[in-house]
Amino acid sequence: MEGFERLKLLPLILQAIRSEGYTRPTPIQEQAIPRILEGKDLLACAQTGTGKTAAFALPILQILSEAPAGAAHGTEVHPIGHSRARHREIRCLVLTPTRELASQIGESFTNYGQGLELRNTVIFGGVGQNPQVAALRKGVDIVVATPGRLLDLLEQRLIDFKHLEIFVLDEADRMLDMGFIHDVRRVIARLPKKRQTLFFSATMPSEISALAHQILTHPAKVEVTPVASTAEKIAQALFYVEENRKTPLLIHLLGDPTATRTLVFTRTKRDANHVAEALCEAGIGAAAIHGNKSQGARELALEKIKDGRARVLVATDIAARGIDIDGVTHVFNMDIPEVPENYVHRIGRTARAGKAGIAVSFCAPDEKGCLAAIERLTRKRLSVIATPTGLEPETRKRSRGRRGGQHNGRRGGRGGGQRSGRSGR
Ligand code: AMP
């Protein structure tokens, strides 16, 4: 905990960090938080999985709550030199490329800001705008938005940024890739010139560095070791397998003695319990964590995996958020996540701290559609491995020997061929 305390964060924020289960700041947090608290602009080269959301959300919450808006206290105050109406005004905007990221960032603000008098709302397209407009009307301090819908609302004069103090541009390079960069520029043109700007991008193609140059003033520069282009250090493999063969296949693959510390992801809590039970029955030490478990049960499961009593932890996406386990050798996905970012979050649990890692995904016939989105996001085609033949349910108890090196398996097996025409990007 000393780590976060050194960063001079407010006690309420430290408490929220503690309840997230974070023990030490990640490198991007260590470098960025003090600079943001000083009021500096920031140019950060960091990607998803580095803890970048907390790196900007924590100091923003602190800055906003240390100079509270009048509405928070029902009084008129003048915290930053211009008069403030009684009504709560938008003081911070975070622009991010996808609705999933927007939701996650909104949730992070909510979680880290427990106990603070600040409200956030999330704005994205593809759903009706009325609830979003209603939330804005009630008054919010922080808006997390994707560019298209935000522009719509700006054009309808349903939102304004006259009182904006802090602007965060998240995943700038992906904005460019996804064709949003013009929308981003149009949003920026509507923001007050005098503001603090925090700019995050995993890579710096020339168009992005030109934009950074235009909108930042003497920025502090922060760069964390380029990790998770999920691609590089993680060997990623895929099995096409019927739903009812997934657990036997998992048990079979766990015959690999190099899978010493393994995370298994399931879509539902029920699946997490079933898989953990099946593994235990097969003599493989496993524990499950998910939202229905008590804090005590979660902690016990984590302890077991950390001290080696269990070598497999079975988790749902939500339960796995914020847990920090070193030395994960393998990640297994029992399903193909519908939200592609979840795939990246899942596999990013291995290959941490410069180590290698293996991620293996099981894809049932009806899940093939979700793969394309994942491959576009990661810009990597998954190697398809032929599912072992004769893997009948009765081989569960003791499968035939180890199956190491699965990531080197044959490419483009059944079902893989149909994707071969697609480019990696
Ligand atoms: P991000 O890069 O913001 O997408 O964060 C990746 C994951 O790391 C999220 O699941 C966070 O909850 C988690 N996380 C962020 N900061 C820390 C920390 N200091 N310690 C442990 N986990 C963290």
Side-chain angles (χ1 to χ4, degrees):
M1 200 57 207
E2 297 99 42
F4 278 107
E5 264 143 20
R6 262 206 323 269
L7 298 177
K8 304 206 175 72
L9 292 164
L10 295 172
L12 270 175
I13 296 181
L14 288 174
Q15 202 176 314
I17 293 171
R18 207 174 295 130
S19 46
E20 288 294 306
Y22 304 166
T23 48
R24 9 170 236 285
T26 64
I28 182 83
Q29 291 162 3
E30 205 145 11
Q31 295 175 57
I33 291 173
R35 271 107 164 205
I36 299 172
L37 287 176
E38 282 166 20
K40 282 200 158 59
D41 278 5
L42 186 81
L43 176 57
C45 236
Q47 48 201 136
T48 299
T50 55
K52 71 182 164 64
T53 311
F56 64 76
L58 298 171
I60 287 174
L61 287 163
Q62 177 141 335
I63 291 170
L64 299 187
S65 66
E66 282 188 325
H73 301 276
T75 53
E76 184 127 347
V77 292
H78 305 270
I80 52 162
H82 55 77
S83 78
R84 214 166 253 301
R86 265 173 181 283
H87 181 68
R88 207 181 271 262
E89 304 284 1
I90 299 166
R91 303 168 68 195
C92 171
L93 167 67
V94 180
L95 265 193
T96 192
T98 67
R99 69 187 264 177
E100 289 76 24
L101 279 168
S103 302
Q104 281 170 20
I105 293 168
E107 256 170 50
S108 299
F109 274 113
T110 303
N111 294 342
Y112 304 147
Q114 301 264 333
L116 301 177
E117 290 277 318
L118 296 167
R119 285 198 216 141
N120 74 78
T121 199
V122 177
I123 286 181
F124 48 72
V127 294
Q129 72 171 39
N130 290 345
Q132 298 173 357
V133 174
L136 289 170
R137 289 222 169 98
K138 275 202 216 145
V140 293
D141 305 274
I142 299 161
V143 168
V144 183
T146 55
R149 170 59 59 85
L150 185 65
L151 261 183
D152 283 352
L153 298 185
L154 276 165
E155 272 153 22
Q156 298 170 64
R157 296 178 191 278
L158 292 170
I159 189 166
D160 84 70
F161 291 114
K162 278 200 286 295
H163 297 275
L164 190 89
E165 297 164 42
I166 306 175
F167 168 55
V168 181
L169 181 57
D170 186 37
E171 309 237 341
D173 54 350
R174 269 182 69 202
M175 295 279 199
L176 180 68
D177 286 348
M178 294 171 74
F180 296 161
I181 202 72
H182 298 297
D183 284 351
V184 169
R185 285 182 180 276
R186 288 164 65 202
V187 170
I188 293 172
R190 307 221 184 187
L191 305 179
K193 295 271 171 308
K194 189 168 177 302
R195 57 165 200 255
Q196 182 178 10
T197 302
L198 314 176
F199 192 109
F200 288 81
S201 194
T203 56
M204 286 287 164
S206 57
E207 193 165 350
I208 290 306
S209 73
L211 178 65
H213 192 71
Q214 282 161 20
I215 67 171
L216 295 168
T217 312
H218 306 304
K221 293 188 181 135
V222 165
E223 193 167 344
V224 292
T225 344
V227 249
S229 83
T230 61
E232 268 146 43
K233 277 187 266 110
I234 306 173
Q236 298 169 62
L238 179 78
F239 285 88
Y240 287 111
V241 54
E242 298 289 334
E243 199 58 52
N244 64 1
R245 297 293 170 88
K246 286 181 173 180
T247 306
L249 178 60
L250 176 70
I251 291 169
H252 180 75
L253 295 174
L254 286 172
D256 179 351
T258 67
T260 51
R261 189 170 280 185
T262 297
L263 265 180
V264 175
F265 284 96
T266 61
R267 202 190 316 266
T268 67
K269 299 166 192 170
R270 220 169 129 245
D271 292 344
N273 284 336
H274 283 166
V275 172
E277 280 163 19
L279 293 181
C280 290
E281 258 175 48
I284 298 168
I289 54 164
H290 54 65
N292 283 357
K293 300 250 175 185
S294 67
Q295 185 61 19
R298 283 172 57 103
E299 277 164 20
L300 180 64
L302 286 176
E303 239 172 67
K304 278 188 179 168
I305 185 107
K306 285 180 180 172
D307 69 17
R309 271 179 291 162
R311 73 179 171 106
V312 183
L313 185 66
V314 190
T316 54
D317 290 294
I318 305 283
R321 289 192 68 192
I323 63 169
D324 189 17
I325 305 171
D326 292 333
V328 172
T329 55
H330 291 61
V331 169
F332 287 92
N333 293 316
M334 297 299 282
D335 62 274
I336 304 295
E338 283 168 21
V339 176
E341 277 83 4
N342 281 350
Y343 176 82
V344 179
H345 282 302
R346 287 177 175 194
I347 72 167
R349 298 308 174 129
T350 182
R352 289 202 162 176
K355 298 207 178 97
I358 294 173
V360 180
S361 303
F362 296 164
C363 180
D366 62 348
E367 295 178 304
K368 286 183 185 171
C370 299
L371 267 181
I374 289 170
E375 293 184 339
R376 258 199 312 278
L377 178 72
T378 60
R379 298 169 192 170
K380 189 175 168 89
R381 194 114 47 83
L382 300 186
S383 307
V384 178
I385 299 177
T387 304
T389 46
L391 188 73
E392 305 302 336
E394 53 272 22
T395 64
R396 287 165 57 143
K397 293 277 185 279
R398 198 66 325 237
S399 310
R400 280 159 284 147
R402 66 166 274 187
R403 260 196 82 77
Q406 55 265 50
H407 52 290
N408 291 327
R410 160 166 86 83
R411 205 175 236 275
R414 266 169 66 73
Q418 70 206 53
R419 312 198 321 277
S420 59
R422 208 136 23 78
S423 89
R425 271 185 81 101

